[in-house]
Amino acid sequence: MAHITTHPPHADRILAGVGLMLAFCVLAPLLDVASKLAAATIPVGQIVVARFVVQAVLMLPFVLAMRLDWRMSPRIFGLLMARAVCLMLATYCFVAAVAVMPIADALAIVFVEPFILLILGSFLFGDEVGPRRIAASTVGFLGALLVIQPSIAAFGWVALFPLGTAFTFAGYMLITRAMSRAMHPVAMQLHTALAGSAICLPLMWAFDGSGIKELDAVMPAGIEWLWLFGVGFWAACSHMCMTYALKFAPSATLAPLHYAELISAVVLGYLIFDDFPNPMTWAGIAIITGSGLYIIYREQVSARARVTPPTPAR
């Protein structure tokens, strides 16, 4: 990935990327909710399989209707498989965590990911990461800590699972950006789902009857089918937004906005799981929101500076 070159995106495309990233932050927690509901009775590995299979079924008609090219170079195929592996591991770690932890608790730990993206985005793509963005990211992370104080002492070693999600999802996002100029986002989502299904289905077959709780599949019943479908449906919708966002804007710009996902997670946790935010949580939400709005403001200022020619000296 280090040899990939990129060109600065146009200012209006950057703002479109910001909007799509915010849409991702609203939709992604719905995937988490469906996963947590399913994890009450369905093995974690089976939920991961459902995520990829349902997403592939949903994306296939769009790829066929749009007559997108299925061909890809060996290099893109390798990146695609790496993208699928990163997403599979990220999904497994997070579903395993929310099976026993509140969604917002797990998500707070995952928020080390923007720091990973800021560092790797600068190293691999030469993204400009100035002190204001670093400061905004730091403030946003402090806000996340106010919302939920993740602790191994409180949840045991399962608290390390969201940390695994943070690292693997950061890799997923960087690979997505590397592929975004070589493959249509819709085709990318389908191929990733197909690759993930090709990896996960044989593993589930191999562990069938093994007695391993997380991997031994069961037959869903009743509303469990709806939860499994929701995992794939919201995954397809949210990650399509994220894929297009990375096509339009640098990862360093988008990373701090990811904190807005915690706001959605807290709201859904209250509405569905009756987790009522305490005053410290509301303070954290205010800090996270302020940090995200400041990033958007700074991006608008930078965009105007890039497109406005300097005033000639008199």
Side-chain angles (χ1 to χ4, degrees), residues 171-311:
Y172 167 81
M173 293 186 75
L174 289 172
I175 294 171
T176 298
R177 184 177 173 196
M179 296 175 61
S180 63
R181 299 182 186 279
M183 180 178 290
H184 194 282
V186 176
M188 191 189 305
Q189 291 299 97
L190 172 64
H191 292 319
T192 300
L194 291 173
S197 299
I199 296 171
C200 291
L201 285 172
L203 288 175
M204 291 301 296
W205 177 81
F207 283 96
D208 184 33
S210 66
I212 300 176
K213 179 181 177 182
E214 293 78 10
L215 299 174
D216 194 354
V218 299
M219 177 59 68
I223 201 170
E224 294 169 347
W225 287 105
L226 179 61
W227 304 146
L228 291 176
F229 176 80
V231 170
F233 176 80
W234 294 118
C237 294
S238 62
H239 284 260
M240 183 60 63
C241 290
M242 187 273 294
T243 301
Y244 270 105
L246 287 169
K247 185 179 179 67
F248 293 154
S251 58
T253 299
L254 300 177
L257 298 177
H258 201 175
Y259 289 115
E261 185 180 352
L262 188 52
I263 301 172
S264 299
V266 170
V267 171
L268 290 173
Y270 169 65
L271 294 176
I272 298 174
F273 301 106
D274 200 26
D275 290 331
F276 186 78
N278 57 39
M280 186 175 291
T281 297
W282 290 122
I285 290 174
I287 292 173
I288 295 166
T289 303
S291 176
L293 292 176
Y294 179 75
I295 289 295
I296 295 174
Y297 166 74
R298 286 303 309 170
E299 185 52 51
Q300 291 174 337
V301 171
S302 300
R304 286 195 296 267
R306 285 192 294 269
V307 301
T308 303
T311 303

Side-chain angles (χ1 to χ4, degrees), residues 22-36 94 98 103-104 107 111 234-235 238 258 260-269 272-273:
L22 291 176
F24 167 82
C25 293
V26 172
L27 297 175
L30 294 172
L31 160 62
D32 304 333
V33 168
S35 298
K36 185 174 180 66
F94 196 77
V98 299
I103 293 174
L107 201 55
F111 277 132
W234 294 118
S238 62
H258 201 175
E261 185 180 352
L262 188 52
I263 301 172
S264 299
V266 170
V267 171
L268 290 173
I272 298 174
F273 301 106

Side-chain angles (χ1 to χ4, degrees), residues 69-144:
D69 193 355
W70 287 70
R71 297 172 297 177
M72 65 185 76
S73 67
R75 172 181 162 275
I76 293 299
F77 178 78
L79 288 174
L80 180 72
M81 295 303 295
R83 185 179 192 259
V85 169
C86 284
L87 185 57
M88 178 184 70
L89 294 175
T91 303
Y92 183 93
C93 288
F94 196 77
V95 174
V98 299
V100 296
M101 296 171 60
I103 293 174
D105 291 57
L107 201 55
I109 302 173
V110 173
F111 277 132
V112 299
E113 176 223 338
F115 289 98
I116 301 170
L117 279 175
L118 285 171
I119 295 171
L120 294 182
S122 176
F123 177 75
L124 296 177
F125 298 104
D127 291 341
E128 179 183 353
V129 184
R132 289 187 176 91
R133 284 175 179 167
I134 294 176
S137 296
T138 303
V139 171
F141 181 68
L142 292 175

